[in-house]
Amino acid sequence: MTRVSREPWSADRFELGEGLRRHGRHLLMVDILTGRLLRLDPGSPGPAEVVLSLDAPLGAVAPVLDRPDSYVAAVGTGVAVVSANGGVEWLARPEDGAAAPMRMNDGSCDPSGRFWAGSMAYDGTRGAGSVYRADPDGGFTRVLEGYTVPNGPAFSADGSRMYLADSADGRIDVHDVSPGGEPGARAVFARVTQGSPDGMQVDDEGHLWVAVWGAGEVHRYDPDGTLESVVAVPAAQPTSVCVTQGPRPRLFVTTATVGLDRPGPGDGAVFSVPVGVGGPRVQQFGGAA
């Protein structure tokens, strides 16, 4: 087992840090419940910079192709394009008026530039969540139902496989995805018995990295679902992961303090550890990075 240094990358502590993505020279991340998009320097430890702040929970973002400082976002009850100057262009708000109060959670773009994002009930109502796909041409589709706390998704390099966790069930699913963006039948890829699978990323070798909430760990799985390695994190609630590129790739991990009666010194921090494999940059809404 690899252990992350107890020294965090940043002095910041986040209530619900999530959504790590490499974009250009920066790492993007969100603090969901405060509605903030932030960025960090993956080459040098230091404080996070606030890119924008919204008055609704911000689950995840991806940059928009050819629109600097604009991001497609899982925010509030739907998906919108938001900008650093405060602009919000709603694509859809499918969870407005739901039977149980809902919010959007994690999300990411596939290699074809489509944005996929999941929703969940504030009170954890089982099966109330869905997964939606926003297409660059304006299409918006509910593609999966029956999830409680969907996290991810993460995609293979060619976009033909999608990994998606239901954190409430300790389950990581895998779906084949058609060229048109239709997910096939669900198959169970892996189960987590200690803690809950959270944010995830596929690395350059096709392995899946998964933050494990409640266990203080990050798991790396072979493409067949075998647990290949474990990274111990000095925080109770790891939430998302990002493996960077370059001659000295690093694994970055966000964590959270929400729900902890007595957060420890590492809870809510961002951590990093050198690893032997790189990962892709974030896919952009509208096209590949």
Side-chain angles (χ1 to χ4, degrees):
M1 178 185 292
T2 302
R3 293 190 178 274
V4 171
S5 167
R6 300 196 70 85
E7 291 299 318
W9 195 255
S10 165
D12 299 285
R13 296 295 182 271
F14 301 104
E15 186 177 8
L16 188 51
E18 256 277 17
L20 273 174
R21 307 284 187 267
R22 176 70 186 272
H23 178 48
R25 298 182 298 105
H26 298 103
L27 283 175
L28 296 174
M29 63 169 288
V30 299
D31 193 18
I32 293 179
L33 300 180
T34 66
R36 294 182 299 161
L37 173 63
L38 308 108
R39 63 187 175 200
L40 294 161
D41 183 349
S44 178
E49 174 189 356
V50 177
V51 177
L52 58 87
S53 184
L54 302 171
D55 61 359
L58 178 60
V61 306
V64 178
L65 183 67
D66 296 331
R67 289 182 60 178
D69 298 321
S70 291
Y71 308 88
V72 63
V75 58
T77 56
V79 175
V81 173
V82 300
S83 60
N85 64 11
V88 178
E89 304 169 27
W90 286 101
L91 304 182
R93 284 185 268 194
E95 299 296 358
D96 276 1
M102 305 284 289
R103 71 167 175 85
M104 301 302 292
N105 196 41
D106 203 1
S108 66
C109 277
D110 67 17
S112 295
R114 300 172 292 227
F115 186 66
W116 304 62
S119 65
M120 59 176 285
Y122 278 100
D123 65 2
T125 298
R126 294 195 64 82
S130 299
V131 177
Y132 299 93
R133 190 193 70 232
D135 301 330
D137 65 3
F140 193 87
T141 308
R142 177 187 277 116
V143 291
L144 296 168
E145 298 179 321
Y147 279 79
T148 302
V149 183
N151 267 296
F155 295 90
S156 61
D158 63 1
S160 66
R161 299 187 91 193
M162 177 180 71
Y163 300 94
L164 181 71
D166 193 334
S167 301
D169 287 344
R171 193 184 76 239
I172 303 168
D173 297 333
V174 61
H175 296 260
D176 291 335
V177 179
S178 75
E182 297 303 322
R186 184 186 84 194
V188 176
F189 175 75
R191 293 189 183 275
V192 175
T193 57
Q194 300 294 322
S196 302
D198 206 317
M200 56 185 69
Q201 180 194 17
V202 177
D203 67 26
D204 288 340
E205 294 179 349
H207 289 55
L208 183 70
W209 295 83
V210 182
V212 184
W213 174 284
E217 295 177 348
V218 172
H219 292 179
R220 184 179 189 244
Y221 293 92
D222 291 341
D224 66 0
T226 301
L227 180 60
E228 184 264 343
S229 61
V230 176
V231 177
V233 180
Q237 298 176 156
T239 54
S240 72
V241 294
C242 182
V243 179
T244 62
Q245 296 175 320
R248 293 183 293 275
R250 301 186 69 90
L251 166 69
F252 287 84
V253 186
T254 53
T255 68
T257 61
V258 65
L260 298 175
D261 292 333
R262 296 181 179 179
D267 291 314
V270 177
F271 293 95
S272 180
V273 62
V275 291
V277 61
R281 295 187 180 188
V282 64
Q283 300 289 346
Q284 300 185 72
F285 185 56

